[in-house]
Amino acid sequence: MAGNVSTKIVYQNCDTYLIAGLKKRDRINEDALRVVNSSRGDGLLEVKWENTAARHVLKYNVSNLTALSEYVKQPLTQERYFGILGQIQRILEYCSENSLTSDNVILLDPKNVFYDVEKRKVLVAYLPLMINMYKCSNLAKFLYKLHKNANIEGADKTVMEKYALFLEDNLKSQRDRSIGLTYNHLYTFLHDVLGVPMSSASIRVAEAKSGAGSKEGASKPSAPAQAEDQDHTIVVSKPKAADCAAFLKDSANREIPIADFPFTIGRKADNDLALTDKGTVSKLHAVITFEDGTFYIEDKGSSNGTFLSSFEGGREKIKKQQLNSGDTFYIYDIPFVFTVNTGDSPTVIVGRKNELKAKTDDLKKTGMKHIAYLLNTSSKEKVPIFVYPFTCAELSGIIISRENQKSRHSISIENKSCTSLSVEGDEVTIGESSSIFSGCNFLYYGISYTFYEEN
């Protein structure tokens, strides 16, 4: 079974097929079918669509392919293993870029995913349906099952422990918060945390127009802006930070600038924030507006609703509600933190280490002295802290803040989206904060840091 779709392997005329049986009422999306059948080079299995009296049948030719569950049982190098994970991430990214919902990727069990040993290529099946009735993908569970079967020789123990912890944390987060692991999160972890070479930047946000104000009469960009290099980059417009009225932060702590209004959010690619791989998101789901000096979030009649502050199954959907800096809103179950831009936040290009390094270098050139720093206890590298609240790409998902109380002050670390954070041995889950002090130790995805204040 894949979701509630029945799957089986059959042998016909010396060929091997993965068969997916659908209900008769399920309608085939012929446009998606054409995309799938032109995408073998991008990791999707070609599919034949057949009708019977009772149901539709989708046949994927898997002749001369090996089930991934079996392939990973043979001895693999760490490099080869993470190369397979990178291919899976890229397949999901490709689906997103071509408006193929990730729910219809058959990615629950490694036995239903295949590997071309000769070409060293992962291939997956996709259900090209008009209406998405099934949920055949669960990336966290799939990777966990794959990892349990994998036979990796000569692996770096620290790296593998860090990856195993990442999977366990995502499974726990999914159970507790109903938020699944996405290809974006996998890219960020493999590329930014483990340093695995990846073939492309995984996220491209449609180019926003410069300057705050009304969109009336303005045209939408026709295509996403291109990544400027092969680093992990979100490319947006280049208004100065002070020109962006506000910005959003997603669950991976990436910043998305809001340059003008109304700021649209939805599944269609021409939205300012396009969530094209999310079947639970409507074509135009919600908008952020600025009226008489106040920001608002407004649901545009979406099927699954917009929520403010928390996502709970029985909670009442909002229609239009005021947004304050620091509020979290949910596009069904996808969280975003809204922040009013004070003009000192680097929101032009997010996630690029060279940009952040340049910003730090600029601060050093001004003669500004750092007030604290983080010491990586393994590499002995220092991460300077010039101002509070403090964030950086190396430790995405956490914020370090300082609160002054008369002659005293307190420092805290807040977990915004990090799935593996502990302070002095105590776990800090997403949404929680912990007090820290000079000399305090914390673990970020298994990497040890010590916080020091300068005298």
Side-chain angles (χ1 to χ4, degrees):
M1 296 290 288
N4 20 359
V5 176
S6 60
T7 58
K8 62 181 179 179
I9 296 292
V10 299
Y11 304 94
Q12 297 178 347
N13 301 323
C14 300
D15 285 325
T16 307
Y17 292 93
L18 172 70
I19 302 291
L22 305 175
K23 297 175 182 176
K24 192 66 178 178
R25 68 170 182 267
D26 293 327
R27 297 172 58 200
I28 301 298
N29 184 332
E30 295 191 29
D31 289 336
L33 187 66
R34 282 191 288 272
V35 171
V36 169
N37 283 340
S38 65
S39 302
R40 186 178 177 92
D42 294 288
L44 298 183
L45 287 163
E46 293 181 20
V47 56
K48 290 183 179 180
W49 165 30
E50 298 179 357
N51 281 317
T52 68
R55 61 178 184 165
H56 295 299
V57 173
L58 296 176
K59 296 175 62 175
Y60 304 85
N61 193 326
V62 296
S63 303
N64 303 316
L65 301 180
T66 303
L68 192 59
S69 58
E70 296 303 312
Y71 179 75
V72 298
K73 289 179 181 178
Q74 66 174 318
L76 297 174
T77 64
Q78 181 176 301
E79 181 182 10
R80 176 71 61 83
Y81 178 65
F82 282 121
I84 290 171
L85 303 188
Q87 287 190 50
I88 292 166
Q89 183 276 334
R90 181 65 187 110
I91 291 169
L92 293 174
E93 178 185 348
Y94 175 82
C95 289
S96 173
E97 291 170 348
N98 289 276
S99 300
L100 303 176
T101 175
S102 61
D103 284 349
N104 284 10
V105 180
I106 299 181
L107 203 68
L108 284 174
D109 195 318
K111 72 181 182 182
N112 287 325
V113 176
F114 298 87
Y115 193 79
D116 187 328
V117 176
E118 183 179 348
K119 296 181 180 178
R120 295 187 177 183
K121 192 170 188 63
V122 177
L123 293 158
V124 302
Y126 182 87
L127 302 177
L129 301 179
M130 186 67 71
I131 300 175
N132 305 316
M133 302 292 294
Y134 307 99
K135 185 172 177 61
C136 301
S137 179
N138 187 317
L139 184 55
K141 286 185 178 180
F142 172 82
L143 293 176
Y144 184 78
K145 289 179 180 178
L146 188 68
H147 196 62
K148 285 182 67 177
N149 288 330
N151 179 12
I152 304 168
E153 291 190 335
D156 184 317
K157 185 178 179 181
T158 301
V159 169
M160 301 314 295
E161 287 178 350
K162 198 179 299 182
Y163 177 65
L165 182 60
F166 167 77
L167 293 179
E168 291 171 3
D169 285 347
N170 273 281
L171 285 172
K172 183 177 184 297
S173 177
Q174 184 172 292
R175 288 193 298 268
D176 295 346
R177 301 173 182 273
S178 301
I179 299 174
L181 175 66
T182 69
Y183 70 88
N184 294 336
H185 298 142
L186 179 60
Y187 179 98
T188 300
F189 185 81
L190 293 177
H191 180 269
D192 293 350
V193 178
L194 295 186
V196 177
M198 304 292 280
S199 61
S200 67
S202 69
I203 307 171
R204 296 183 179 98
V205 176
E207 183 178 13
K209 297 169 289 298
S210 61
S214 172
K215 279 188 188 173
E216 191 172 347
S219 62
K220 295 278 186 180
S222 59
Q226 297 300 309
E228 295 185 6
D229 56 32
Q230 295 301 306
D231 198 0
H232 178 50
T233 307
I234 300 176
V235 179
V236 296
S237 65
K238 289 191 178 182
K240 294 179 181 178
D243 293 333
C244 292
F247 59 91
L248 304 177
K249 281 193 176 183
D250 67 6
S251 58
N253 209 36
R254 291 179 289 259
E255 292 182 357
I256 304 162
I258 302 174
D260 51 8
F261 299 94
F263 180 86
T264 60
I265 305 170
R267 195 174 72 249
K268 287 188 70 176
D270 62 353
N271 284 294
D272 294 303
L273 177 53
L275 305 170
T276 57
D277 64 334
K278 302 297 182 184
T280 56
V281 177
S282 297
K283 292 180 180 178
L284 174 59
H285 197 105
V287 298
I288 296 173
T289 59
F290 184 69
E291 305 168 24
D292 299 323
T294 303
F295 295 96
Y296 294 93
I297 178 76
E298 179 180 357
D299 185 90
K300 302 301 288 185
S302 67
S303 300
N304 292 309
T306 304
F307 301 83
L308 194 61
S309 298
S310 66
F311 171 75
E312 299 170 7
R315 189 183 173 105
E316 185 178 351
K317 304 172 184 178
I318 67 165
K319 292 183 178 179
K320 183 176 181 178
Q321 200 155 331
Q322 182 176 335
L323 266 182
N324 299 309
S325 189
D327 282 349
T328 300
F329 66 86
Y330 288 73
I331 301 300
Y332 181 55
D333 60 350
I334 307 168
F336 294 95
V337 178
F338 174 79
T339 304
V340 175
N341 196 351
T342 60
D344 58 0
S345 177
T347 59
V348 177
I349 298 183
V350 183
R352 292 177 57 191
K353 292 180 181 178
N354 56 331
E355 291 289 334
L356 290 169
K357 183 178 183 300
K359 184 172 185 289
T360 300
D361 290 343
D362 287 343
L363 287 169
K364 289 178 179 177
K365 289 176 184 177
T366 65
M368 183 175 180
K369 185 179 179 181
H370 59 266
I371 55 179
Y373 63 90
L374 303 174
L375 178 67
N376 184 317
T377 54
S378 297
S379 67
K380 305 303 179 184
E381 292 182 0
K382 290 184 179 180
V383 181
I385 298 175
F386 291 95
V387 294
Y388 291 110
F390 168 79
T391 62
C392 74
E394 291 176 58
L395 294 98
S396 64
I398 67 172
I399 298 175
I400 298 176
S401 303
R402 170 173 167 151
E403 183 178 348
N404 295 319
Q405 300 169 336
K406 295 182 179 180
S407 61
R408 305 180 64 184
H409 69 269
S410 59
I411 308 289
S412 64
I413 185 169
E414 181 182 1
N415 188 344
K416 283 290 188 182
S417 60
C418 174
T419 56
S420 177
L421 178 67
S422 62
V423 176
E424 292 289 328
D426 294 327
E427 182 183 5
V428 182
T429 59
I430 295 174
E432 292 185 347
S433 297
S434 176
S435 295
I436 60 175
F437 50 87
S438 190
C440 179
N441 297 303
F442 66 91
L443 284 176
Y444 173 84
Y445 287 113
I447 302 172
S448 177
Y449 289 89
T450 305
F451 170 77
Y452 290 104
E453 282 193 281
E454 295 284 14
N455 295 326

